[in-house]
């Protein structure tokens, strides 16, 4: 499951200890780790967005043991409580159900990943480097666009990329991974 998130610029919340925190705080509150672990799901990938025509802030990928486990999670009270807190900090999100079409990504040897999403036929590659591709089974939450593919390309910092405004059926994001634990 791929999740793109754009945070509200003014969203703040209070930690358990009472200290205020910014909505982009990178700790585990971004993902319901205990809930995921209890259903056998894994937080596979988290990255901060360095550049994006869509002004996205963070990307996360969760691996679920089955579609049924994802549906079951949505019905859990602890997940709904976490989701309510997270939703207050999110301006927009896109959630895509994805399946690998090739091998899962290896941990990047650089500090940058190019994430491309598209609708329709797979576009030509815009950067050289190791690639992992995923088919999109469906867009569960989003802005009305129906995506069909996702590609992660490991790139070297400084690689020129076409991150200017792009057609509605294509989006490219430059990422800096913070967690890479692909199964």
């Amino acid at each position: 499951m791929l999740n793109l998130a754009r945070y509200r610029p003014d969203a703040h919340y209070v930690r358990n200890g009472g200290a205020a925190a910014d909505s982009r705080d990178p700790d585990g509150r971004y993902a319901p780790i205990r809930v995921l672990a209890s259903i056998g799901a894994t937080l596979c990938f988290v990255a901060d967005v360095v550049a994006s025509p869509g002004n996205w802030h963070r990307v996360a990928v969760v691996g679920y043991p089955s579609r049924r486990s994802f549906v079951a999670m949505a019905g859990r009270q602890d997940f709904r409580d976490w989701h309510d807190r997270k939703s207050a900090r999110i301006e927009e999100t896109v959630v895509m159900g994805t399946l690998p079409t090739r091998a899962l990504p290896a941990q990047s040897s650089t500090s940058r990943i190019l994430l491309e999403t598209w609708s329709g036929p797979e576009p030509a590659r815009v950067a050289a480097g190791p690639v992992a591709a995923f088919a999109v089974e469906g867009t569960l939450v989003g802005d009305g666009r129906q995506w069909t593919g996702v590609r992660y390309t490991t790139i070297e910092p400084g690689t020129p990329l076409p991150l200017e405004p792009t057609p509605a059926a294509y989006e490219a994001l430059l990422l800096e991974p913070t967690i890479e634990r692909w199964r």
Side-chain angles (χ1 to χ4, degrees):
M1 192 72 58
L2 169 63
N3 183 321
L4 309 179
R6 181 179 313 114
Y7 294 101
R8 295 181 191 283
D10 58 348
H12 296 279
Y13 61 96
V14 177
R15 292 183 175 160
N16 288 340
D22 184 280
S23 63
R24 292 179 62 183
D25 193 353
D27 69 19
R29 276 179 299 284
Y30 179 76
I33 301 298
R34 287 188 195 113
V35 177
L36 294 173
S38 71
I39 63 167
T42 306
L43 184 62
C44 301
F45 181 80
V46 176
D48 292 321
V49 178
V50 176
S52 155
N55 296 314
W56 297 106
H57 293 124
R58 184 162 291 150
V59 171
V61 176
V62 175
Y64 292 90
S66 67
R67 291 169 190 86
R68 183 172 297 190
S69 64
F70 174 77
V71 172
M73 180 187 67
R76 292 175 55 124
Q77 187 61 48
D78 51 356
F79 174 77
R80 289 195 309 265
D81 292 345
W82 170 85
H83 190 268
D84 289 345
R85 289 188 305 273
K86 177 188 172 217
S87 295
R89 300 185 308 267
I90 298 292
E91 181 176 300
E92 184 175 1
T93 190
V94 173
V95 179
M96 301 176 214
T98 61
L99 290 171
T101 60
R102 302 178 199 138
L104 288 173
Q107 185 162 348
S108 65
S109 58
T110 70
S111 60
R112 297 287 190 262
I113 304 277
L114 173 64
L115 171 64
E116 299 169 272
T117 62
W118 62 86
S119 179
E122 184 172 348
R125 292 183 57 188
V126 298
V131 169
F134 290 71
V136 177
E137 284 193 313
T139 305
L140 287 77
V141 176
D143 57 7
R145 294 181 285 181
Q146 294 300 309
W147 302 102
T148 56
V150 175
R151 180 169 53 213
Y152 300 82
T153 305
T154 301
I155 61 172
E156 293 295 326
T159 301
L161 298 171
L163 295 177
E164 63 273 351
T166 55
Y170 174 85
E171 192 153 356
L173 295 82
L174 181 59
L175 309 177
E176 185 173 278
T178 58
I179 295 174
E180 290 186 83
R181 294 187 293 235
W182 298 99
R183 297 187 216 192

